[in-house]
Amino acid sequence: MKRYIIGTLLSIILGGVILCIYGSQDEKGAHEMQPARIAGNHFEVQTSEGWQEITIKGVNMGMAKPGHFPGEAAITEEEYYRWFEQIGEMNANTIRVYTLHPPDFYDALHRYNKRHEPLYIMHGMWADEGKMHEGKDAYQESLNKEFDRDIKNVVDAVHGKGDIEPEPGKASGKYTNDISPYVIGWILGVEWYPPFVVGTNESHGDIGQYDGTYYRTEGASAFEHWLAQKMDFVSKYESDNYGTLRPMSFTNWVTTDILDHPSDSSDMEDLVSVDPNVIYAKDEMEGVGQYASYHIYPYYPDFLNYDEKYVEFLDHRGERNNYAGYLNEMEGAHRLPIVVAEFGLPASRGLTHRNPFGFNQGFHSEEDQGEMTASLYEDIIHAGMMGGILFTWQDEWFKRTWNTMDYDNPDRRPFWSNAQTNEQQFGLLSFDTHKIRIDGDPSDWHRKPLYEGEGDLKSLSVDHDERYLYLKVEHAPGAVDEIEIPLDIVPGQGNKGIKADVVSESAVDFIVRINNGESRVVVDDYYDFFNFQYGHTLGMIEVEGAPAKDSGEFNKVHLALNKEHHLPDRGETLPFEYYETGKLKEGNGDPEASDYDSLADYRWLRDEGVMELRLPWQLIGARDPSRHEFIGDIVEDGLEASVFIEGIGVGVIASRHDSGFESLPLMEGDTLPALQRYEWEGWELPESKERLKGSYPIIKETFSKY
């Protein structure tokens, strides 16, 4: 027998519209406060007119901002509110957070949603990755004790009942605003570390199936049993304390998907599956629903780029598309509807993985980032999924990337912006100051030139910010064909023979060569950290002889891309892959210009006699420019060698093919005198300036279509 609840159970004013959340109870006893549910292949949310279907158009949001690690929870209420306004204007309807944010997040969202169309929340519950890697057992007491406590804190905070004591690395405070009507789903956990899953299954293989209050399993492994148990813990705690149920999921990723990948030969990426299909909602939860959520990018793991079923797949445009191929297979393999909880591409100079169709992890302009990310979202929708949540809203300076992480100071990452690390540049919101615009207009230079000349070579100027070392060369119009800028980083260590018939008093570690062909940065062989790491140390590339000081040899600057990879389905082994990161691109670096190219390294107006250049700090060996820390003598002291310098020696040689060259400082015979050092003040709190990237309006237009 059905009995109906008469009247309004909860009313919330949303920009003048009263949202009445009400429900009915059938013989299973449906909950009175249910803000969302899964209906077929869509989310539905409660409105004043009843249930309304929505397609998820979202962005992920972490807790990081310049100068702070995410665990410091340093974002203010006004910053959150401003970002919510920009996200709403972008036609997004959902924000996903990974863990508990500070009270300012919930206060800002409550204030925003009272004045605007609501932004919904998919709320994560973070599990301690350190304990996972150490213990390799999901049932370990220390992990579960912390996880259960954090789950309760999130649920309490969402309902405006949190009073959480400070703890290093986590948000805390008094949570007084109830935002639970806008939380449309839980996403439990993190990207599961495969050995952690395997270890759990091996240690608890006889645990059997789970049958709890709201979830049960069929054919589940010990790890999937544990996940069902944790999902039940969340739903039961919220139901018992707040009379509410909402859709449930757990984090998953391609590495632990449920598919077979014949081209994978790693011991990690296809090692074990975590299957959401084996966990079933029961009783009251059946009317609320559960869903699968995956992080899916087009370039990683490698099998996405080589499995023929993906690379030969034709998408809705009639084009080959490995991403669409993977989504298509995933959709067919799941009984649960899927949200792609992370997808996207970085607008970054740095590059980490390649995709056969250009959807690489890195070396995309902001416009490319927008267009390609929009294409991925269209693929998600055409695959029949519930929507996608773009990674990510704001750039995150604390992030690291595997092919650059050996070259910086991990404790200082948030204090400067590393243009070489693509993980830091996935955001739609940038924080870089662009102190010098790199557009050929010298009006934004305010420092006195380091050198001034009297011939065709007029001056050399140097400046910096948290992201770049800037250089400007001024010369007589049309008088120069090539510019070479020697840099002395580590005093006394580099090459003194820097050019045919030219000797430098200062030992030079890098030379920047700007010309009409291929402009690039080259590095002293002794200071070549890539060659030393992957050649002399790991033996992955061929190198000749031991590195020697003052050898006169300069090498191109490289970064690793992929280690040797075997394709078992083809019987083929792909060699170690790397690329030249020191190659420089010419373009307009002014974000306000119509021809802005965020990948531009320099601009040379030859007929006007101005060349402006920006060098990423890490490209010239910086581990932490805020404290003047650079890579040291790696040959003597190993890859972790560091040195603290007072400044960087800088000079310039400008030449014409038909009339020799000029230099600053002025040549003395065939000798370039000691280079004057550019010195700068260190910093603890970096300067930053919010700017919406060129990708933002493209995503806005795409979201408006769905």
Side-chain angles (χ1 to χ4, degrees), residues 233 332 543 586:
F233 182 84
V543 288
E586 186 169 7

Side-chain angles (χ1 to χ4, degrees), residues 312-351:
E312 297 299 329
F313 183 84
L314 297 180
D315 64 16
H316 65 280
R317 309 172 191 90
E319 300 172 354
R320 292 170 62 207
N321 184 336
N322 67 324
Y323 191 71
Y326 179 79
L327 295 175
N328 178 71
E329 187 178 18
M330 284 286 283
E331 176 66 18
H334 285 75
R335 67 174 183 84
L336 296 174
I338 299 172
V339 168
V340 180
E342 278 190 20
F343 73 101
L345 298 164
S348 67
R349 187 184 195 281
L351 176 65

Side-chain angles (χ1 to χ4, degrees), residues 244-288:
T244 307
L245 289 174
R246 67 194 72 240
M248 171 66 72
S249 186
F250 63 82
T251 300
N252 214 345
W253 58 324
V254 178
T255 294
T256 52
D257 69 11
I258 62 176
L259 308 177
D260 293 323
H261 303 291
S263 69
D264 183 76
S265 63
S266 71
D267 58 358
M268 193 71 70
E269 304 301 348
D270 203 25
L271 179 65
V272 66
S273 293
V274 178
D275 190 352
N277 288 330
V278 301
I279 303 175
Y280 292 81
K282 59 181 288 190
D283 297 334
E284 293 171 86
M285 195 64 199
E286 287 188 87
V288 179

Side-chain angles (χ1 to χ4, degrees), residues 37 131 232 591:
R37 69 184 182 187
K131 289 184 172 66
D232 216 27

Side-chain angles (χ1 to χ4, degrees), residues 457 459-460 473 483-486 650-654 662-665 672:
L457 186 54
S459 68
L460 170 63
V473 176
I483 295 171
E484 294 181 279
I485 301 173
V650 185
V652 60
I653 301 172
E662 293 183 37
S663 71
L664 294 173
L672 185 68

